[in-house]
Amino acid sequence: MLAKLSTRPAVRRCTGAGAITLALLGAGLPAGAATPPQPDLSRFYRQKVTWSACPGTAAKGLQCGKVTVPLDYARPGTGTLDLALARRPATGPSRGSLVLNFGGPGRAGVSTLAASGRDYLALTDGYDVVTFDPRGVGRSSPVSCGEDVQAASAMAGDTADRNPKALMTGLRKVAAECARHSGPVLTHIGTVNVSRDLDVIRQALGDDKLNYLGFSYGTRIGAVYAAQFPGKVGRMALDGVDTLTEPLSEQGVAGAEGQQTALDDFLDWCVKDLGCPFGRDRRTAGDQVLKLVRSLDERPVPTGFGGPFTGQDLVGAIAQGLYSKELWPALERAVLSLVDDGDTRKVETFTAVGSGPAHRSGGALADEANVPADNLSAALMAVNCADDPDRPGDGQITKDIARLRAAYEKASPVFGRYRLVELLMCYGRPRGTDFIRDRVKDVDTPKMLLVGTRGDPATPYRWTMETAHRLGPSAVVLDNKGEGHTGYPSSKCVHRKIDDFLLYGSLPADGSSCPADRAR
């Protein structure tokens, strides 16, 4: 069954706050014994951030810093990690910091704020706007799976239901390569630890409460923080709300369906333009997309770096280009260059997140040039697997793989295989935590604003309603009637209502809505 092959986000049980100490220190205590002492984290909570100019960026006014966190919160003396921070200082009187997370998992906050800081300038009217590279991401001990994993993951997609033995071998190789290239941070990655890091960041910024704006996966971080530190929640807005309960197998099907709908909308728009690489006939445009993907899978073309560019690489690029209508013209031109000239460079800009080789930093910040090119995809796999308590064995995968493949390809002939491989990549990794699924609910916090977008291709609107119900009375839902992934970047109404809440505490009524913006 799909649910049995789930791989929903979670973190290893050993990283949960209270469960860690009980598991490690409480064994063998007599009945009725007092709760054992928590590990001493005081030195991490005594930090203050030192800000300075950001190296290697042309972003005016951006400042950079770092905080140090324990590698393992259960054993804080066994190692540390530095986390990269960036901020845009408040332009006037400040009520403290507002921390942003842009999603992923795997999206680096520092480089994103440097590139898109103008979108958040209004928030500097009342806050120092701060972001960070979560552990395993960007400059914060970036994880990697190495250059050979692409071939192994492609093989996994090719052999999924035809050769289960080869599938298991390939997946074990992927897991081993990811562990070899990533170092110790890989076993201490995941949202429960990121949430704890976020509380250290809050204290280092000098804030009594966390004011927070999270997008997509960033909403999962916010929800977990609310469960772990309810007394420290300030004004929190969650846009593009993630699921807290749905297993990864079901998430993947929902994601494939959403992406297929977004692709159909893109093709409706594309065929009206003379430059559409998929022709002018809408009835055949979808077939042309699938034909191009399959052709590249069979005969990859060389990239600018000399490696192969496959159909699954194209699928990943298209997925990124569909996140916003504003990206559609650039996506059209990029695919046209690929089709007409075999030039992959424009398409690769939709997925490029780094340029360096895998590089272990020993806990110190990595140089931007040494962030591995696969860091986003490697971190996405690592966090989603660490956040997931389900780990089916060989027999269960063999039994269910044909059914899974059929379900994914029914959801989307273009994106189905890509999303199925993401699910399978958790095989061979340690079992994740059940903290998110079991403990993130009925939070006792101030009111939080949750925004769901009706046409969101990545986080379906129903996840907003399900998560709001799970979080309890603290959740206030804003219904965005528009399209695209998240509402803040594309909807003037959502943008205004989030700003009004974060800056002035003005909440919309629960269940109120924003109309779709008129097409430009």
Side-chain angles (χ1 to χ4, degrees), residues 119-432:
D119 296 338
Y120 309 97
L121 282 180
L123 295 170
T124 62
D125 287 348
Y127 294 101
D128 298 322
V129 174
V130 178
T131 191
F132 65 107
D133 290 356
R135 57 172 63 204
V137 175
R139 298 184 61 207
S140 302
S141 299
V143 295
S144 172
C145 290
E147 298 177 359
D148 297 332
V149 164
Q150 185 180 38
S153 61
M155 182 276 299
D158 289 336
T159 63
D161 56 346
R162 293 186 288 273
N163 190 341
K165 184 176 180 180
L167 170 65
M168 306 305 171
T169 299
L171 294 175
R172 278 192 289 268
K173 179 180 179 181
V174 170
E177 286 296 291
C178 294
R180 184 169 73 88
H181 284 88
S182 297
V185 69
L186 189 64
T187 55
H188 299 285
I189 205 168
T191 306
V192 172
N193 273 333
V194 172
S195 170
R196 301 193 72 177
D197 294 342
L198 188 54
D199 197 57
V200 174
I201 291 171
R202 173 200 58 77
Q203 182 70 24
L205 293 171
D207 295 325
D208 292 332
K209 304 281 186 179
L210 175 71
N211 300 306
Y212 178 81
L213 172 57
F215 299 98
S216 192
Y217 164 70
T219 70
R220 193 194 311 168
I221 298 174
V224 172
Y225 185 91
Q228 287 187 305
F229 304 99
K232 296 298 183 181
V233 173
R235 294 175 184 172
M236 181 173 286
L238 309 178
D239 184 6
V241 181
D242 201 354
T243 178
L244 299 175
T245 57
E246 201 163 89
L248 273 184
S249 56
E250 295 175 17
Q251 287 186 50
V253 170
E257 289 173 343
Q259 288 172 317
Q260 185 64 47
T261 299
L263 176 61
D264 291 341
D265 292 342
F266 167 75
L267 292 176
D268 289 341
W269 169 87
C270 184
V271 296
K272 298 174 184 176
D273 186 80
L274 287 172
C276 183
F278 304 114
R280 303 292 304 283
D281 185 351
R282 180 62 186 90
R283 292 173 299 176
T284 63
D287 293 336
Q288 292 301 313
V289 176
L290 189 57
K291 182 178 178 181
L292 178 60
V293 169
R294 289 175 175 172
S295 174
L296 287 169
D297 277 334
E298 293 172 3
R299 295 180 298 277
V301 297
T303 67
F305 300 101
F309 186 85
T310 69
Q312 298 310 298
D313 293 326
L314 176 61
V315 171
I318 292 174
Q320 294 296 316
L322 294 177
Y323 270 10
S324 169
K325 283 187 175 181
E326 293 181 353
L327 297 174
W328 287 4
L331 178 63
E332 179 189 40
R333 293 191 297 269
V335 177
L336 187 63
S337 292
L338 175 66
V339 171
D340 285 353
D341 306 319
D343 187 347
T344 65
R345 289 175 296 179
K346 291 182 180 179
V347 177
E348 288 178 277
T349 61
F350 284 93
T351 55
V353 294
S355 57
H359 175 79
R360 295 191 189 178
S361 59
L365 295 183
D367 292 336
E368 193 71 40
N370 286 327
V371 176
D374 74 325
N375 178 237
L376 191 153
S377 60
L380 183 146
M381 283 193 297
V383 172
N384 281 343
C385 296
D387 280 6
D388 180 37
D390 302 322
R391 283 298 182 276
D394 292 20
Q396 191 66 54
I397 292 178
T398 300
K399 176 183 176 182
D400 289 349
I401 191 63
R403 191 180 315 163
L404 275 170
R405 184 163 189 157
Y408 273 69
E409 291 187 349
K410 180 181 179 181
S412 171
V414 174
F415 298 99
R417 172 182 163 183
Y418 187 87
R419 299 303 295 253
L420 177 58
V421 169
E422 287 185 342
L423 168 66
L424 294 173
M425 287 302 160
C426 289
Y427 176 81
R429 294 175 184 249
R431 180 184 181 274

